[in-house]
Amino acid sequence: MPQLKLTSKRQVTFPKEACDALHVGPGDIINLETAMVDGRKVYILRAKQFESPWFGMLRDKAAKVDDHSMEAVRSSIAKGRKRTGE
Protein backbone atom coordinates (compact mmCIF):
# COMPACT_ATOMS: atom_id res chain seq x y z
CA MET A 1 0.00 0.00 0.00
CA PRO A 2 1.49 3.40 -0.99
CA GLN A 3 2.42 5.65 1.91
CA LEU A 4 3.11 9.35 2.39
CA LYS A 5 5.88 10.54 4.69
CA LEU A 6 5.62 13.97 6.28
CA THR A 7 8.81 16.07 6.31
CA SER A 8 9.80 18.52 9.04
CA LYS A 9 8.24 21.25 6.85
CA ARG A 10 4.95 19.29 6.72
CA GLN A 11 5.45 18.45 3.04
CA VAL A 12 4.79 15.09 1.41
CA THR A 13 5.75 13.37 -1.82
CA PHE A 14 2.94 11.52 -3.55
CA PRO A 15 3.74 8.18 -5.19
CA LYS A 16 3.54 8.20 -8.99
CA GLU A 17 0.53 5.85 -9.01
CA ALA A 18 -1.41 8.24 -6.74
CA CYS A 19 -0.61 11.23 -8.99
CA ASP A 20 -1.62 9.24 -12.06
CA ALA A 21 -4.91 8.20 -10.44
CA LEU A 22 -5.67 11.80 -9.43
CA HIS A 23 -4.47 13.13 -12.82
CA VAL A 24 -2.25 15.71 -11.11
CA GLY A 25 1.25 17.00 -11.69
CA PRO A 26 3.63 19.65 -10.38
CA GLY A 27 1.82 22.87 -9.48
CA ASP A 28 -1.66 21.34 -9.43
CA ILE A 29 -3.90 21.91 -6.43
CA ILE A 30 -5.36 19.03 -4.41
CA ASN A 31 -8.24 19.80 -2.07
CA LEU A 32 -8.41 17.92 1.21
CA GLU A 33 -11.98 17.25 2.35
CA THR A 34 -13.28 15.54 5.48
CA ALA A 35 -16.11 13.05 5.68
CA MET A 36 -17.56 10.57 8.16
CA VAL A 37 -17.40 6.91 7.14
CA ASP A 38 -18.68 4.25 9.56
CA GLY A 39 -18.47 6.77 12.38
CA ARG A 40 -14.84 7.65 11.64
CA LYS A 41 -13.45 10.89 10.27
CA VAL A 42 -11.67 10.30 6.93
CA TYR A 43 -9.93 12.59 4.47
CA ILE A 44 -10.71 12.69 0.77
CA LEU A 45 -8.28 14.07 -1.81
CA ARG A 46 -9.83 15.81 -4.81
CA ALA A 47 -7.79 17.31 -7.61
CA LYS A 48 -8.90 20.86 -8.29
CA GLN A 49 -10.08 21.30 -11.85
CA PHE A 50 -8.52 24.00 -13.97
CA GLU A 51 -10.70 27.07 -13.94
CA SER A 52 -9.45 28.46 -17.25
CA PRO A 53 -5.69 28.37 -17.77
CA TRP A 54 -5.05 27.36 -21.37
CA PHE A 55 -1.88 25.43 -20.55
CA GLY A 56 -3.80 22.92 -18.42
CA MET A 57 -5.96 22.08 -21.39
CA LEU A 58 -2.88 21.08 -23.40
CA ARG A 59 -1.40 18.64 -20.87
CA ASP A 60 -2.83 15.49 -22.50
CA LYS A 61 -1.75 16.59 -25.98
CA ALA A 62 1.79 17.45 -24.84
CA ALA A 63 2.18 14.04 -23.21
CA LYS A 64 1.59 12.36 -26.59
CA VAL A 65 4.37 14.31 -28.34
CA ASP A 66 7.97 13.09 -28.16
CA ASP A 67 9.61 16.14 -29.75
CA HIS A 68 9.09 19.44 -27.89
CA SER A 69 11.75 21.39 -29.80
CA MET A 70 10.96 24.82 -31.22
CA GLU A 71 11.28 23.38 -34.72
CA ALA A 72 8.62 20.77 -33.94
CA VAL A 73 6.35 23.43 -32.37
CA ARG A 74 6.68 25.70 -35.41
CA SER A 75 5.97 22.77 -37.74
CA SER A 76 2.84 21.88 -35.78
CA ILE A 77 1.62 25.50 -35.90
CA ALA A 78 2.22 25.63 -39.67
CA LYS A 79 0.21 22.42 -40.17
CA GLY A 80 -2.65 23.85 -38.09
CA ARG A 81 -2.65 27.07 -40.10
CA LYS A 82 -2.85 25.13 -43.36
CA ARG A 83 -5.89 23.23 -42.07
CA THR A 84 -7.70 26.39 -40.97
CA GLY A 85 -6.67 28.48 -43.98
CA GLU A 86 -4.82 31.17 -41.99
Side-chain angles (χ1 to χ4, degrees), residues 65-78:
V65 177
D66 292 329
D67 186 2
H68 295 282
S69 68
M70 284 307 297
E71 182 179 327
V73 170
R74 288 184 181 109
S75 173
S76 178
I77 291 169

Side-chain angles (χ1 to χ4, degrees), residues 74-86:
R74 288 184 181 109
S75 173
S76 178
I77 291 169
K79 287 178 188 175
R81 286 184 174 158
K82 284 181 184 176
R83 278 185 274 153
T84 61
E86 287 184 30

Side-chain angles (χ1 to χ4, degrees), residues 13-80:
T13 299
F14 279 78
K16 181 185 182 317
E17 56 268 18
C19 292
D20 291 346
L22 289 166
H23 304 287
V24 296
D28 287 345
I29 296 172
I30 301 172
N31 292 324
L32 185 62
E33 300 174 6
T34 59
M36 295 300 287
V37 176
D38 296 330
R40 295 178 58 197
K41 185 176 183 179
V42 297
Y43 292 91
I44 300 168
L45 302 175
R46 292 194 195 275
K48 183 174 181 180
Q49 298 297 315
F50 287 102
E51 293 174 7
S52 66
W54 61 269
F55 52 86
M57 297 174 199
L58 301 175
R59 177 184 294 158
D60 292 338
K61 293 185 186 296
K64 296 177 185 174
V65 177
D66 292 329
D67 186 2
H68 295 282
S69 68
M70 284 307 297
E71 182 179 327
V73 170
R74 288 184 181 109
S75 173
S76 178
I77 291 169
K79 287 178 188 175

